[in-house]
Amino acid sequence: MLSYQTTASQRAFTFLGLLGILLLFASGVGQSLAVPSSVLTGSALSLIALAILGYTYASYAPYNSGVKNNANAIKSLTQRGVWAYVSALALTAFYVVLYFFDAYLEPMIRGFDSISQSLSGKPATQWFVYGALYTLAILLFGVKFIVKYRHSRYQVIRTLSVMFFQLIFAFLLPEFMARLNGDLPYYDLKSMWPLNYYLFDGYYIESFVSAQSLGIGLLLFGVLSIFVISPILTYKFGKRWYCSWVCGCGGLAETAGDAFRHLSDNSIRSWKLERWMIHSILVLITLSTVGVVHSYLLEHPEDYWISPSVFILTVVSLLVAVIALIYFKRRAWIAKEAKTAMIIVGVLLAGFTGMHFLSDTYHVFLIPSHSLRSVYGFFVGSIFSGVIGTGFYPLLGNRVWCRFGCPMAAILGLQQKLFSKFQITTNSGQCISCGNCSAYCEMGIDVRAYAQKAEPIKRASCVGCGICAEVCPRGVLRLENTANPNIQA
Amino acid sequence: MQEVCIIGNGVAGSTLALNLSASAQFKVHLISEEADYFFSRTALMYVYMGHLTLKQTEPYERGVWNDSPINRIRGRVTALNRTNKQLKIEKYLSGTLLLNYDILVIATGSKPRFLDWPNTHLKGVSGLYHLTDLEKIESYTQSHKHCKNALVVGGGLIGVELAEMLHSRKIDVKMLIREPLFWSSVLPDSDALLVQKHLESRGVEVVANTEVKGFLTHDGKRVSGVELSDNSQLEAQFVGVSIGVQPHISFLEESGLELNQGILVNEHLQTSEKSIFAIGDCAELRQSDPKRRALEAVWYVARQMADALSKHLIDGPFTYVQGHWFNSAKFFDLEYQTYGQVSNLAKRKNSEQHFHWHNTKMTKGLTLAYEAHSRLFLGVNAFGIRLKQSVFEHWLDQSASIDTVVEQLETAHFDTEFSKNYTKELKHAFVSNNS
Ligand SMILES: Cc1cc2nc3c(=O)[nH]c(=O)nc-3n(C[C@H](O)[C@H](O)[C@H](O)COP(=O)(O)OP(=O)(O)OC[C@H]3O[C@@H](n4cnc5c(N)ncnc54)[C@H](O)[C@@H]3O)c2cc1C
Ligand code: SF4
Ligand code: SF4
């Protein structure tokens, strides 16, 4: 096979970028050289920005717009070659240090103090640094993505949206809110349960409550998002309104992860694994959230009008109501998915019952409630979403977390499957089975399997990125909000 | 249980094999020389350009084949004995096999057409059809260091794919065509011009009104260029030949089956022999729809024939109906779709009128064909615009008028969301054209 040659300017900008990264981590060393660390950090970030924008220019500007995936299946970095392993290792190492050995990052963190001071009035923390780098990545690679897909208005608008939500909602607003009201915990308005699974944690609720009306307002908004706003939007537009237009994890995957989307495994086997994982995580997160609220209520019997048992009963009735609704409205689906549905409901009901009898103030199922939280936080919040989810982009594709681990995607996916007007329509018999759509679907959906049978694609995991429709050389696929939500199995 | 032998695991043979294997009536043998697993020939260009691996072009997961009862044989069928109902197969790497059948289906596809040129055997000359062609092209054109100039002889759909492939490796490409405009053997001039402009905007030079006389060489091994009919010469390290394809049926010459260009079949896709059928690129209809051709070497037709024959074999008599013509392609970044009939200049009758519109940048264009007096809508060519097939089939079924089609054009809209709406501009042009 041919060895793909990058151009000299692409190589030069890559080198520049690596230099910038090196400088960033070395910025602590600068202090001993009496160079202000903020100057070093500033230059490092500028170098990185220059590198990404320059690389974009070198790669796409000489060509007219159109789908440009040349050599993706050949290049070492994008086809699991040496460079892919090197970058996966480096990214993973960064996450491990960030989560568990942040002391090593101390000098680098200090380099961000002046930026942090100007936003929130507080010195930088490791999470501020992470947030800043994350946002920068989405913005810069967002520009790259927009240039690459500049012929498609859907892609351009969607990417601008992702960049906007990351910069304003995830990064700037929480910092400003912290300046306005020091008691307020970090709150990303666009992030909702179960993504911010800590929303209902005792300490979190308390700090909201102590932040008075703004805090209570935010808490109410959080609850409203889950039960009202999100289902309505998903009904109208599919889960894409969140996963590929708003979400930060999705934002990074779409922009920085764009070069790796074809690595997502689209075998039937991985689809099976995906369903197992996503359903288990859904059950786990529901149980542990209910458990935490339950023990919080046990702890504060006087403060709230709702008693722990009434709370559990309410949750159970909600569950029953949802199941009944699905049974009456989507019988065909239930018939097909009966086993899965029964297992999920069974485990949940058993869980709630167990909770009622086996929990006290500090224990859920006889397990200390905070250890349950921290175990989830560790395995799902840190290891999965960070280390594997982002660190393994060059090996497993850019949406591993979204596909196998994200509880939010699981809930939205269920909604998408059961009641949404969103689907990907196939243009009758036009498919030539070339495989571009399946290869470039970051969620590992075998789009071609549907397209070559002239069937519409209505899959729970589809995040509506629209790339399948973009890479299809025959214009076979179209994302639409006009499907009849009733006819589907 | 009937023994069904299918020769060729392209889209025709593979689709049929999967359909039949679902029925307990048949034991299916699928014989093919090219590859162990069915891959998509239409995606060969994406393999070369590095968009896809060959495995990613396989329309079904390998497990589908491995778990199916289909007996797959890698080998070349070299002879057919009709009296004994027996095939002779040269197996890949392992000797000869004789196989008996109750029903035989020939789905051997096409091969690239070459003229009687001198020196076609030279290294650096290739058509593009089989995997072996792709391997050859790959070895001749590793990068622009090995190969600075390339020529593509002929300007059909495969030719333009060849040009895009070479262009992706920064090789300078010229297309040599016999016609005055690109693909004007099929497209009306307005459309041919649009495509040609697009090709030129991508840096491909289209050399029109040119015929190739033969290939040149310095060392007797590698090609060094071509000689044209006006005796001028063009230099090249690679010459791609794409002047069309022809049915891949030479092994049948002594079989006694009735052949023309392809294997002649009736409306049940049955050959002159009762137990033998032919589908896909190699099948030629004895009686074709007046609006269609007897030999149509396209993916869709191969798949539709396979589906029709499955029904015929499983449930009894089923007639293959050609229906409305449709096709699609992509010229570099310009997508093309066609539904119904739009004739080129040479074939166009006086009664066939065309309304052509394109935007000023010539990145979108549409040609609508209709009958002058009755205003009956005949067909559409679309460039840079995606149109819904079902809507156009409905209009063709209903014998809709051109006015209805233009008026309701939005309902056939299939462009991605937020795309600029061109219909207002188009309708405006249509009205001023008609008044
Ligand atoms: C580069 C390229 C791009 C194309 N793009 C398009 C497109 O965009 N749209 C479209 O509609 N069509 C396109 N086509 C045409 C389309 O691919 C063919 O019409 C289609 O593949 C025909 O399918 P088939 O099953 O009849 O034959 P094939 O796909 O040719 O399969 C026949 C198989 O039989 C094998 N075989 C032949 N003889 C023997 C023998 N004696 N013994 C054993 N095995 C044998 C061959 O090796 C081959 O594997 C394209 C073709 C090419 C080459
Ligand atoms: S099916 Fe298409 S739109 Fe959905 S996730 Fe896959 S590539 Fe994106
Ligand atoms: S990209 Fe388009 S033509 Fe290719 S397999 Fe997918 S739907 Fe079919």
Side-chain angles (χ1 to χ4, degrees):
Chain A
M1 246 299 166
L2 122 151
S3 65
Y4 176 75
Q5 292 287 313
T6 43
T7 64
S9 42
Q10 281 173 326
R11 282 196 298 273
F13 284 117
T14 309
F15 179 73
L16 216 62
L18 291 176
L19 209 68
I21 293 174
L22 216 67
L23 193 62
L24 189 66
F25 281 93
S27 59
V29 184
Q31 280 161 331
S32 51
L33 299 173
V35 184
S37 56
S38 58
V39 172
L40 272 179
T41 306
S43 350
L45 294 182
S46 315
L47 215 55
I48 293 173
L50 186 73
I52 296 176
L53 298 178
Y55 186 89
T56 302
Y57 185 82
S59 309
Y60 305 120
Y63 306 103
N64 295 291
S65 64
V67 177
K68 299 281 176 296
N69 288 320
N70 289 350
N72 241 351
I74 299 171
K75 280 187 285 190
S76 163
L77 179 64
T78 54
Q79 199 57 27
R80 301 194 181 104
V82 180
W83 282 112
Y85 281 91
V86 169
S87 28
L89 211 69
L91 277 168
T92 312
F94 171 68
Y95 274 98
V96 171
V97 173
L98 181 76
Y99 284 130
F100 310 110
F101 305 98
D102 54 298
Y104 290 104
L105 294 177
E106 194 49 30
M108 171 180 159
I109 296 170
R110 295 287 68 83
F112 283 78
D113 274 345
S114 50
I115 310 177
S116 181
Q117 289 285 2
S118 68
L119 294 174
S120 63
K122 294 177 189 159
T125 62
Q126 98 227 54
W127 302 118
F128 176 81
V129 172
Y130 179 54
L133 290 178
Y134 196 102
T135 307
L136 199 67
I138 291 188
L139 293 181
L140 291 171
F141 284 108
V143 172
K144 175 170 180 269
F145 187 92
I146 288 177
V147 174
K148 178 175 176 186
Y149 293 98
R150 60 188 182 273
H151 54 282
S152 164
R153 289 176 83 191
Y154 179 74
Q155 298 304 338
V156 172
I157 296 172
R158 179 173 74 80
T159 308
L160 287 173
S161 162
V162 155
M163 289 159 78
F164 168 82
F165 278 102
Q166 177 62 30
L167 179 65
I168 306 298
F169 279 69
F171 187 61
L172 293 180
L173 265 185
E175 297 295 330
F176 290 146
M177 289 197 313
R179 167 163 269 188
L180 283 179
N181 187 332
D183 298 330
L184 210 61
Y186 171 88
Y187 188 63
D188 174 358
L189 274 174
K190 67 180 174 50
S191 184
M192 61 184 77
W193 184 90
L195 216 46
N196 53 5
Y197 50 87
Y198 42 80
L199 180 65
F200 299 111
D201 273 14
Y203 82 92
Y204 209 72
I205 297 182
E206 268 161 23
S207 45
F208 267 125
V209 173
S210 65
Q212 288 163 347
S213 54
L214 182 59
I216 305 261
L218 286 181
L219 199 60
L220 279 179
F221 178 75
V223 176
L224 209 66
S225 314
I226 309 156
F227 292 108
V228 185
I229 302 178
S230 143
I232 291 179
L233 288 173
T234 309
Y235 169 74
K236 281 183 112 78
F237 307 113
K239 82 197 243 192
R240 59 176 165 159
W241 77 266
Y242 192 75
C243 296
S244 66
W245 281 72
V246 172
C247 176
C249 301
L252 194 72
E254 293 293 341
T255 53
D258 177 54
F260 308 110
R261 55 178 76 236
H262 59 290
L263 299 175
S264 309
D265 185 353
N266 56 20
S267 66
I268 294 170
R269 212 185 52 203
S270 69
W271 184 18
K272 280 195 182 131
L273 177 71
E274 166 192 319
R275 286 149 58 96
W276 264 106
M277 300 259 324
I278 215 79
H279 290 136
S280 315
I281 286 188
L282 203 56
V283 167
L284 249 171
I285 190 91
T286 310
L287 278 182
S288 67
T289 306
V290 171
V292 164
V293 177
H294 183 252
S295 56
Y296 180 72
L297 290 175
L298 277 175
E299 217 176 317
H300 306 266
E302 307 303 320
D303 297 357
Y304 296 91
W305 49 268
I306 186 165
S307 80
S309 336
V310 173
F311 171 70
I312 292 275
L313 271 178
T314 316
V315 173
V316 170
S317 347
L318 254 169
L319 184 71
V320 170
V322 169
I323 299 299
L325 204 68
I326 294 175
Y327 181 76
F328 286 116
K329 292 277 184 190
R330 300 285 182 270
R331 219 170 279 204
W333 181 79
I334 278 285
K336 222 175 87 193
E337 306 286 331
K339 216 170 108 192
T340 321
M342 250 156 59
I343 295 175
I344 293 181
V345 173
V347 173
L348 280 179
L349 285 180
F352 295 147
T353 320
M355 212 174 276
H356 186 68
F357 292 108
L358 300 176
S359 303
D360 61 30
T361 321
Y362 300 105
H363 296 80
V364 179
F365 305 120
L366 314 173
I367 306 168
S369 52
H370 31 266
S371 73
L372 207 65
R373 317 286 313 121
S374 50
V375 164
Y376 180 87
F378 177 77
F379 280 109
V380 179
S382 313
I383 298 292
F384 203 155
S385 79
V387 180
I388 299 177
T390 311
F392 283 19
Y393 272 11
L395 299 179
L396 299 175
N398 57 337
R399 286 268 195 183
V400 188
W401 157 250
C402 312
R403 190 178 168 198
F404 295 102
C406 176
M408 177 81 182
I411 292 190
L412 293 180
L414 214 59
Q415 295 175 356
Q416 172 156 293
K417 186 87 196 168
L418 288 177
F419 57 88
S420 173
K421 298 175 77 154
F422 171 75
Q423 74 171 22
I424 302 177
T425 304
T426 299
N427 201 4
S428 307
Q430 296 268 6
C431 174
I432 53 168
S433 301
C434 68
N436 276 297
C437 53
S438 295
Y440 284 88
C441 175
E442 53 190 355
M443 296 306 280
I445 298 172
D446 190 359
V447 182
R448 166 175 54 193
Y450 303 84
Q452 66 193 0
K453 285 188 283 179
E455 287 172 5
I457 295 111
K458 185 125 199 174
R459 280 273 292 267
S461 64
C462 171
V463 292
C465 65
I467 293 298
C468 53
E470 229 49 82
V471 296
C472 173
R474 295 294 177 272
V476 175
L477 306 164
R478 184 168 196 258
L479 278 61
E480 292 184 341
N481 295 322
T482 50
N484 180 350
N486 282 312
I487 38 168
Q488 66 196 258
Chain B
M1 192 132 119
Q2 301 194 70
E3 302 283 330
V4 182
C5 286
I6 303 172
I7 315 176
N9 71 347
V11 58
S14 296
T15 308
L16 179 72
L18 283 178
N19 288 350
L20 294 187
S21 72
S23 154
Q25 305 169 49
F26 307 103
K27 169 71 197 164
V28 181
H29 308 270
L30 184 60
I31 309 140
S32 201
E33 63 168 325
E34 191 180 9
D36 287 329
Y37 295 92
F38 167 40
F39 67 92
S40 179
R41 196 173 302 294
T42 54
L44 285 179
M45 67 178 293
Y46 300 108
V47 176
Y48 179 90
M49 299 201 300
H51 292 206
L52 300 172
T53 60
L54 183 65
K55 196 169 167 204
Q56 282 172 322
T57 76
E58 290 168 9
Y60 301 93
E61 261 186 63
R62 293 190 172 180
V64 170
W65 298 106
N66 297 340
D67 299 344
S68 85
I70 299 167
N71 174 28
R72 287 177 299 125
I73 302 169
R74 176 95 182 261
R76 178 210 303 259
V77 177
T78 50
L80 157 65
N81 183 333
R82 289 187 300 142
T83 354
N84 297 344
K85 292 194 164 188
Q86 195 179 58
L87 295 175
K88 188 171 168 205
I89 305 167
E90 297 302 334
K91 281 181 73 176
Y92 181 64
L93 304 177
S94 63
T96 311
L97 174 79
L98 296 175
L99 196 65
N100 287 79
Y101 61 83
D102 299 315
I103 295 171
L104 175 67
V105 182
I106 305 168
T108 49
S110 307
K111 60 181 182 190
R113 201 159 73 90
F114 277 78
L115 294 184
D116 227 353
W117 290 307
N119 283 341
T120 47
H121 66 279
L122 288 173
K123 279 194 175 149
V125 178
S126 179
L128 172 60
Y129 192 88
H130 290 109
L131 272 179
T132 46
D133 297 328
L134 192 73
E135 280 157 20
K136 272 196 291 182
I137 299 173
E138 179 70 57
S139 73
Y140 301 146
T141 64
Q142 293 258 308
S143 73
H144 65 291
K145 277 188 199 132
H146 298 75
C147 173
K148 291 211 159 33
N149 300 291
L151 299 170
V152 173
V153 181
L157 296 178
I158 296 179
V160 99
E161 292 189 358
L162 261 169
E164 184 174 354
M165 287 158 60
L166 297 162
H167 187 261
S168 78
R169 297 214 181 152
K170 305 185 176 70
I171 296 168
D172 187 67
V173 194
K174 284 192 178 73
M175 299 186 78
L176 312 179
I177 59 169
R178 221 168 37 180
E179 300 78 20
L181 275 175
F182 178 81
W183 215 32
S184 52
S185 55
V186 173
L187 297 177
D189 285 1
S190 53
D191 301 359
L193 192 67
L194 197 89
V195 177
Q196 188 160 322
K197 279 254 174 333
H198 181 79
L199 295 180
E200 282 161 4
S201 79
R202 294 305 188 253
V204 173
E205 190 187 333
V206 180
V207 186
N209 302 313
T210 311
E211 276 188 61
V212 168
K213 233 165 72 178
F215 302 98
L216 303 171
T217 173
H218 294 316
D219 58 4
K221 287 186 210 133
R222 281 202 66 121
V223 74
S224 63
V226 298
E227 185 171 19
L228 305 178
S229 44
D230 63 359
N231 293 331
S232 64
Q233 301 188 343
L234 284 172
E235 192 200 328
Q237 293 81 49
F238 174 75
V239 183
V241 177
S242 71
I243 54 167
V245 296
Q246 66 191 62
H248 193 3
I249 51 171
S250 32
F251 75 106
L252 292 174
E253 269 155 21
E254 309 213 313
S255 67
L257 279 184
E258 270 183 55
L259 310 174
N260 183 30
Q261 276 187 57
I263 307 164
L264 287 170
V265 293
N266 66 12
E267 72 278 16
H268 300 308
L269 304 165
Q270 197 167 35
T271 65
S272 53
E273 176 89 22
K274 228 176 117 203
S275 57
I276 304 181
F277 298 81
I279 52 176
D281 277 18
C282 64
E284 179 176 345
L285 294 172
R286 288 176 192 274
Q287 211 124 53
S288 73
D289 186 316
K291 288 186 194 146
R292 304 266 307 244
R293 283 166 297 134
L295 196 67
E296 295 176 320
V298 292
W299 183 267
Y300 312 119
V301 170
R303 198 182 53 203
Q304 285 170 343
M305 282 183 167
D307 284 332
L309 183 59
S310 319
K311 291 199 183 104
H312 182 70
L313 293 178
I314 296 173
D315 301 323
F318 185 87
T319 303
Y320 168 69
V321 184
Q322 285 180 298
H324 303 294
W325 169 250
F326 70 94
N327 200 5
S328 61
K330 196 171 181 186
F331 308 102
F332 280 69
D333 299 312
L334 188 68
E335 285 174 21
Y336 157 69
Q337 292 181 329
T338 183
Y339 304 115
Q341 238 46 52
V342 185
S343 309
N344 73 343
L345 190 64
K347 291 186 210 108
R348 184 167 147 190
K349 298 194 195 98
N350 279 337
S351 58
E352 182 179 327
Q353 290 275 330
H354 287 180
F355 164 69
H356 175 81
W357 168 88
H358 59 76
N359 64 359
T360 40
K361 283 194 285 180
M362 293 186 93
T363 51
K364 287 180 198 292
L366 204 73
T367 297
L368 297 161
Y370 58 101
E371 254 173 34
H373 294 294
S374 64
R375 298 188 73 72
L376 174 75
F377 170 70
L378 297 173
V380 61
N381 280 348
F383 299 89
I385 290 171
R386 295 177 175 180
L387 296 172
K388 222 176 197 153
Q389 181 175 2
S390 56
V391 176
F392 274 93
E393 303 230 303
H394 175 75
W395 283 331
L396 289 166
D397 281 341
Q398 304 287 310
S399 307
S401 77
I402 177 72
D403 307 285
T404 314
V405 170
V406 172
E407 192 187 301
Q408 299 174 6
L409 200 57
E410 273 99 344
T411 56
H413 200 65
F414 207 70
D415 281 341
T416 51
E417 292 158 293
F418 303 114
S419 294
K420 279 220 176 86
N421 192 342
Y422 53 87
T423 49
K424 224 170 117 185
E425 206 182 304
L426 182 142
K427 283 179 185 177
H428 192 77
F430 183 74
V431 171
S432 49
N433 194 48
N434 272 344
S435 56

